[in-house]
Structures are given as structure tokens and as C-alpha cells.
């Protein structure tokens, strides 16, 4: 355990794009955490203990923080929305390094990053969420069609918004929270929904650059402890 870090516990599922935002940010800041898998396919997020004690909205991720020290406590801080958790990490560990330009010194850049984050996390991801996609499938769409169509609208807007700001990443050459949230949505689109992102050259370039970064490479879905390949390997050993 790194000295002077809170004890962190992440409720997570390997296939979750919202949880992936947290894996990336935690790796980027060099923070250690315990992971408690919640299998959405087995409806573990609907169990009464999880709903009553962890997430009334029945989602992952949830970040549990012990504010009193480095061991689990009886009255932890429970962060039930990924954006709340990401912003808390920024406030608690601003120098580890930061994913957000400061409002005081860089208001234009900060506003741009927050807009990009919200475009992906508030306008696009909720419509591609599992419970919504299952409803779309029940109405005749395939998962791939549904997610690709929703993401196409979001990626088109993002592409236009970063046309002038992008360098190596979405806003210049520094990784920001916008990249964290973009990466998770693109990974879902190209992975689970088999979508091509060739129509979005700037996003494609940013995604390729992010993939090379160790924090993003460590946050690959198949590397999560509850990912099927890991489970299979564990079962064999
Ligand atoms: N706004 C929430 C969304 C969380 C969310 O939608 N999580 C998905 C996995 S990416 C989930 O748990 N879905 C459960 C379901 O659809 O029933 C956040 O950012 O944390």
C-alpha cells in the first residue's frame, strides 16, 4: 500500500465501461484498491444487500473510501456515480498527476474538458447502458446496431468538438478526464458492439495514442481479475 492513501474498494465488473473509467484513473494516479466483482449478467447488482447498502440505482462502479485511515471503516464515504468518484479522486489526489485543468488558471480548457466528459458520460453512455440495450433488443434491434447508432451520434459531435483542441489527446498533449471517458466509450463501441471508428479520424488517433499509455493498457477489460480469461486461468491453476 502506498503511504498516505485512503483505503479504496471498487465494486466493479470487467465488462463495464463506467468501471473502466475508474480503473484508468486509479492506475493513472498510482492508487491501489481492492476490487469486489459484481456480475451484472448474474444480476448480482439487483441483490437486496447490494441495493440497500451499496447502490440504490443498481449499477457499477461504486467506490468506497475509508476517510479515517488505511483500513476499512464502519462509516466509509460511498461514491455511487463514476463522475463523482473521478472528481473526488482529483480533489483528494491532485498531484498524482491531475486529470483536470484548474478553473482558476485555465478556465477555457477546463470548460472544454468538462463538456467533453459530459457529452460521453451523460448524453451517450446512459443510452448504451445494459438495461437500455436489453430493452432495445426486446424491440428488435441487435446490441451491435443499437450501441453503434447511439455512439455514432456522440462520436460525430466529439470529433467536431476536438477538431481544434486535439494534440496527442483530446485537449492538447496532456491526458485529461475527457480522454478517460472517451476511451471507455470507444472501447465499448469497438469491442462489444464491433463498431468501426474509421469515420472519426481524430478519435481513432486519440484512442490509438491512449492505448499505448501504461495506465490505459493496465485498464484493459481482459486484464480485470473477474474477466472470463482470468477466471479460466485461475480455475486451471
Ligand atoms: N451514471 C452512472 C452509470 C453507471 C452504469 O450505467 N453502469 C452500468 C455498467 S457500465 C451498469 O451498472 N448497468 C447495470 C444495468 O444496466 O442494469 C455512472 O457513471 O456511474
Amino acid at each position: 500500500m502506498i503511504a498516505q492513501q485512503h483505503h479504496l474498494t471498487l465494486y466493479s465488473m470487467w465488462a463495464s465501461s463506467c468501471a473502466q473509467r475508474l480503473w484508468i484513473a486509479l492506475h493513472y494516479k498510482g492508487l491501489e484498491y481492492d476490487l469486489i466483482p459484481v456480475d451484472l449478467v448474474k444480476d448480482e447488482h439487483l441483490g437486496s444487500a447490494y441495493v440497500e447498502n451499496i447502490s440504490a440505482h443498481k449499477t457499477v462502479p461504486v467506490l468506497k473510501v475509508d476517510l479515517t485511515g488505511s483500513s476499512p471503516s464502519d462509516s466509509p464515504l460511498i461514491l455511487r456515480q463514476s463522475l463523482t468518484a473521478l472528481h473526488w479522486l482529483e480533489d483528494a489526489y491532485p498531484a498524482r498527476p491531475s486529470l483536470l485543468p484548474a478553473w482558476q488558471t485555465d478556465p477555457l480548457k477546463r470548460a472544454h474538458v468538462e463538456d467533453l466528459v459530459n457529452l460521453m458520460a451523460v448524453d451517450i453512455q446512459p443510452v448504451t447502458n445494459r438495461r437500455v440495450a436489453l430493452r432495445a433488443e426486446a424491440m428488435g434491434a441487435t446490441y451491435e446496431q443499437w450501441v453503434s447508432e447511439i455512439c455514432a451520434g456522440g462520436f460525430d459531435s466529439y470529433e467536431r468538438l476536438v477538431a481544434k483542441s486535439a494534440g496527442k489527446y483530446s485537449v492538447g498533449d496532456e491526458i485529461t478526464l475527457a480522454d478517460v471517458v472517451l476511451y471507455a466509450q470507444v472501447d465499448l463501441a469497438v469491442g462489444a458492439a464491433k463498431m468501426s471508428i474509421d469515420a472519426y479520424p481524430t478519435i481513432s488517433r486519440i484512442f490509438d495514442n491512449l492505448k499505448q499509455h501504461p495506465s490505459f493498457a493496465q485498464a484493459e477489460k481482459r486484464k480485470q481479475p473477474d474477466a472470463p480469461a482470468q477466471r479460466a486461468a485461475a480455475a486451471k491453476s
Side-chain angles (χ1 to χ4, degrees):
M1 173 75 65
I2 296 167
Q4 294 180 343
Q5 85 149 79
H6 300 89
H7 184 270
L8 303 173
T9 306
L10 184 68
Y11 293 79
S12 175
M13 181 183 179
W14 68 272
S16 162
S17 62
C18 302
Q20 191 174 34
R21 299 171 187 162
L22 266 297
W23 314 329
I24 296 167
L26 288 161
H27 286 302
Y28 192 72
K29 288 183 175 290
L31 295 166
E32 294 190 1
Y33 58 98
D34 293 334
L35 186 143
I36 298 186
V38 180
D39 193 331
L40 303 180
V41 178
K42 291 186 183 157
D43 285 344
E44 288 177 356
H45 59 311
L46 308 182
S48 57
Y50 189 74
V51 175
E52 276 159 35
N53 303 319
I54 308 297
S55 172
H57 195 48
K58 312 176 186 81
T59 54
V60 292
V62 172
L63 185 64
K64 201 155 90 173
V65 182
D66 173 29
L67 290 172
T68 59
S70 59
S71 56
S73 85
D74 291 340
S75 51
L77 177 68
I78 300 187
L79 304 167
R80 299 176 172 87
Q81 288 283 335
S82 66
L83 293 189
T84 313
L86 290 164
H87 280 89
W88 181 83
L89 287 172
E90 282 305 303
D91 284 354
Y93 300 103
R96 267 196 173 236
S98 174
L99 286 161
L100 282 172
W103 279 118
Q104 292 81 354
T105 53
D106 231 335
L108 299 185
K109 211 183 249 187
R110 173 62 175 267
H112 188 44
V113 170
E114 296 282 2
D115 280 354
L116 294 171
V117 166
N118 280 278
L119 168 59
M120 280 301 134
V122 177
D123 296 348
I124 301 304
Q125 183 279 329
V127 198
T128 64
N129 191 12
R130 186 166 182 273
R131 69 185 67 161
V132 178
L134 289 175
R135 296 287 289 271
E137 283 180 306
M139 290 188 279
T142 67
Y143 177 83
E144 287 80 4
Q145 282 167 341
W146 179 257
V147 171
S148 300
E149 189 178 323
I150 301 301
C151 286
F155 293 166
D156 185 62
S157 308
Y158 199 99
E159 185 79 15
R160 291 168 197 273
L161 284 168
V162 295
K164 289 198 184 122
S165 69
K168 198 170 172 193
Y169 306 115
S170 298
V171 185
D173 294 330
E174 301 291 326
I175 292 177
T176 65
L177 215 47
D179 297 302
V180 173
V181 176
L182 173 72
Y183 184 88
Q185 196 64 35
V186 174
D187 194 44
L188 179 89
V190 300
K194 313 269 183 293
M195 180 183 177
S196 164
I197 54 164
D198 290 350
Y200 314 101
T202 314
I203 291 177
S204 299
R205 178 168 54 78
I206 295 167
F207 186 62
D208 286 344
N209 289 337
L210 291 170
K211 254 199 263 185
Q212 310 301 321
H213 191 281
S215 308
F216 289 74
Q218 278 175 298
E220 271 183 46
K221 287 179 173 148
R222 65 182 173 85
K223 291 187 182 161
Q224 298 312 300
D226 55 327
Q230 297 287 339
R231 278 204 211 129
K236 277 182 207 148
S237 63

